[in-house]
Structures are given as structure tokens and as C-alpha cells.
């Protein structure tokens, strides 16, 4: 019984040490606003840029409904593409440094690109802020 408990503990530790996850992209997330009216393109762009700037994302390039932005923290950096319309927004991975990115890595239950879980944490926090700030329109 003791050996089984030790084996289980070792397995849990090994699984917990794996920091790679599937890249978290957001695709076509509906924009829910409190006013009930669709926000204008200018309102969306302004709110998204303000949200990004508030979290130290630097706007590199913008176009109609498209924002390319980069952030760096310590030795890590990430570049994402934010696309938006009056109905939905998307956040897609573009590039990174020191996030252990592995394109098309094969695993038992997943076949695709992997990245350090901290990147996904950054994107999840950004998604939450987008949802909060866009809801105020």
C-alpha cells in the first residue's frame, strides 16, 4: 500500500511539472454590451486599445478590425493578433520568445502547437478584461 501511495505521488509530480499546454486562442467570442446596441467600430477599437495599453501591450500595427500587439515581461514576450467586429472578437497567437513554443507537437491526446502555460494565463486575463471593458459600452 505504501509503494502504491509513493508511486501515485511521483506520477502526480511528473504530470504537474509539464508546463506545456495547447495554445489558447479565442475565436469569434461574442461582444456582450450593457446598452443593448451594437458599439461602433471606433468605440470597440478605443476600448480594446485602452485595455491592451493598461496591461502593457504595445500596439505595433492596426488596420480596420485588426490590432497587432506585443508585450514583454522579463525575458518573455508575446505577439498576438486581435480582430474584432461589432458582434465578436478574436485573439490569435502570432509569435513569442522564451515561451517554449512547439509547433505541431504530437501528444497522446493532442496534436497541435504547444506553449508554456504562462502565455495562456496572459491571454485568459486579457480575455476577462476585454469582456469587462466591452460590456461597459
Amino acid at each position: 500500500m505504501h509503494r502504491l501511495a509513493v508511486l501515485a505521488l511521483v506520477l502526480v509530480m511528473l504530470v504537474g511539472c509539464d508546463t506545456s499546454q495547447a495554445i489558447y486562442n479565442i475565436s469569434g467570442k461574442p461582444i456582450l454590451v450593457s446598452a443593448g446596441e451594437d458599439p461602433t467600430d471606433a468605440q470597440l477599437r478605443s476600448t480594446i486599445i485602452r485595455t491592451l495599453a493598461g496591461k502593457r501591450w504595445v500596439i505595433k500595427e492596426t488596420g480596420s478590425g485588426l490590432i497587432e500587439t506585443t508585450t514583454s515581461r522579463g525575458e518573455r514576450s508575446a505577439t498576438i493578433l486581435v480582430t474584432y467586429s461589432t458582434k465578436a472578437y478574436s485573439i490569435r497567437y502570432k509569435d513569442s520568445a522564451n515561451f517554449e513554443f512547439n509547433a505541431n507537437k504530437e501528444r497522446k491526446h493532442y496534436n497541435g502547437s504547444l506553449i508554456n502555460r504562462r502565455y495562456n494565463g496572459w491571454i485568459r486575463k486579457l480575455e476577462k478584461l476585454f469582456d469587462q471593458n466591452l460590456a461597459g459600452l
Side-chain angles (χ1 to χ4, degrees):
M1 185 69 165
H2 178 69
R3 284 185 181 176
L4 184 59
V6 171
L7 180 61
L9 181 61
V10 169
L11 286 174
V12 167
M13 289 174 49
L14 287 175
V15 170
C17 292
D18 187 6
T19 61
S20 294
Q21 298 177 341
I23 289 180
Y24 184 65
N25 285 315
I26 299 152
S27 184
K29 182 154 188 187
I31 295 174
L32 305 173
V33 294
S34 58
E37 295 181 19
D38 288 343
T40 65
D41 185 68
Q43 288 174 313
L44 288 170
R45 184 177 186 280
S46 174
T47 301
I48 290 169
I49 288 175
R50 189 176 67 250
T51 301
L52 291 164
K55 284 298 178 184
R56 301 184 316 201
W57 288 83
V58 178
I59 308 305
K60 289 176 62 178
E61 186 180 308
T62 63
S64 180
L66 171 68
I67 299 170
E68 180 176 330
T69 183
T70 300
T71 193
S72 297
R73 295 183 190 143
E75 294 182 2
R76 298 180 195 265
S77 68
T79 300
I80 59 173
L81 297 174
V82 179
T83 55
Y84 61 93
S85 69
T86 58
K87 302 285 185 199
Y89 73 88
S90 299
I91 300 174
R92 309 279 307 160
Y93 173 89
K94 182 175 182 191
D95 195 17
S96 64
N98 297 320
F99 270 112
E100 303 150 16
F101 173 74
N102 292 308
N104 298 318
K105 178 114 182 196
E106 291 187 32
R107 288 202 162 175
K108 185 174 182 181
H109 299 290
Y110 178 76
N111 186 11
S113 298
L114 298 175
I115 199 159
N116 185 286
R117 65 182 175 211
R118 287 181 190 231
Y119 168 84
N120 286 343
W122 289 8
I123 301 306
R124 281 179 172 42
K125 287 176 187 173
L126 197 55
E127 176 186 25
K128 184 177 180 180
L129 288 171
F130 274 14
D131 292 345
Q132 290 171 351
N133 294 341
L134 290 169
L137 293 178

